[in-house]
Amino acid sequence: MELLDLIIIGGGPAGLTAGLYASRSRLSTLIIEKTAPGGMILLSSEIENYPGTGKTGTYALMQIMENQCREFGCSIKIAEALEIRKTGHFFTVRTSEGEFSASSLILATGTRYKKLEVPGEREFTGRGVSYCATCDGPFFRNQDVAVVGGGNSACEEALHLTKFAKKVYLIHRRLEFRATSIVKERLKQNSKIVPVLNSVVQEIRGKTGVENILLRNTESGAISELPVTGTFIFVGLIPNSEIFKNLVELEEGFVKTRELQTDVPGIFAAGDLRVTPLRQVITACADGASAAFLAEKYLSNLRTS
Ligand code: NAP
């Protein structure tokens, strides 16, 4: 089996940028991506805070990143990474498509949306319950929908849903949203957004699809019924770190790093997967570039030691 210089696990903004930088440094580099390059940002239709592009479609942006990465010789394999073994100074990644080995690794598997864990959520997923406004928004044209959560994801996706829905109830368990100020201003200016504050979802109900949700007021305890045909859930992120749990040190599931290095020499982490104060495309890209640079330094020290 060929021993590569670097394997990057995850092909989102962090992984693709790491691939671009590593390939330009002439490291033999393989990105292992489970579904398709692009990452979780593809669940949003547009991005407006990535410098240099202006408001742009996420698919177009990620397509450029992928092409740029391939252009310099980075290979991308669509496969699920299942296990990582460390043998001496190299690592073997067992995937759904075979085994690959390299002298260094960058972990960049990102996160996924957290579930609300209420009755009806699982039952109606795909039948009114959704975690992707871009994918499913058009199915709710002229209907009333609910969005659950109070962060940037919930608030931005609620705004996106106003393009289709008649009314968008934005249900948050506190009195204040925690999204960026400009997003909160837009919520106030949009007459289709109806904030439902100090409220939590107790149950999602219906027959063949979602018909209503049961809400509980967190202050009074009062229960009310809200008629909606769709419920979009954005209540935070879960790190995709399950296969790394016996490999590197984690904190609440996120990979702990010190200047992007994990506690295992030769393994670096980049992007949303690691413990970091800000999870954005720009910060993921910056991580990817730095992680590739550090991997190159590590490999060069390894060769001379
Ligand atoms: P988040 O910032 O962690 O917010 C999660 C929200 O869900 C919070 O308001 C939280 O309430 C609420 N929540 C959590 N568990 C809940 C439950 N069981 N029931 C009801 N509500 C619950 O997650 P996010 O919005 O997905 O954002 C994740 C990261 O991505 C953040 O760093 C964010 O800034 C970034 N992001 C950035 C952009 C952008 O810049 N354009 C867009 C999207 C996401 P509390 O407020 O009470 O904790």
Side-chain angles (χ1 to χ4, degrees), residues 19-30:
L20 167 66
Y21 274 70
S23 303
R24 278 174 49 82
S25 294
R26 297 295 181 228
L27 301 184
S28 54
T29 305
L30 172 69

Side-chain angles (χ1 to χ4, degrees), residues 49 113-116 148-154 156 172-174 176 178 180 199-200 234-237 272 277-280:
N49 58 0
Y113 284 123
K114 202 167 102 181
K115 301 264 190 293
L116 201 50
V148 189
N152 272 316
S153 299
E156 289 192 357
H172 184 33
R173 63 185 179 185
R174 293 182 200 277
E176 266 285 317
R178 62 155 88 178
T180 311
S199 298
V200 289
F234 300 103
V235 290
L237 305 173
D272 289 5
L278 188 61
R279 296 193 167 87
Q280 305 274 299

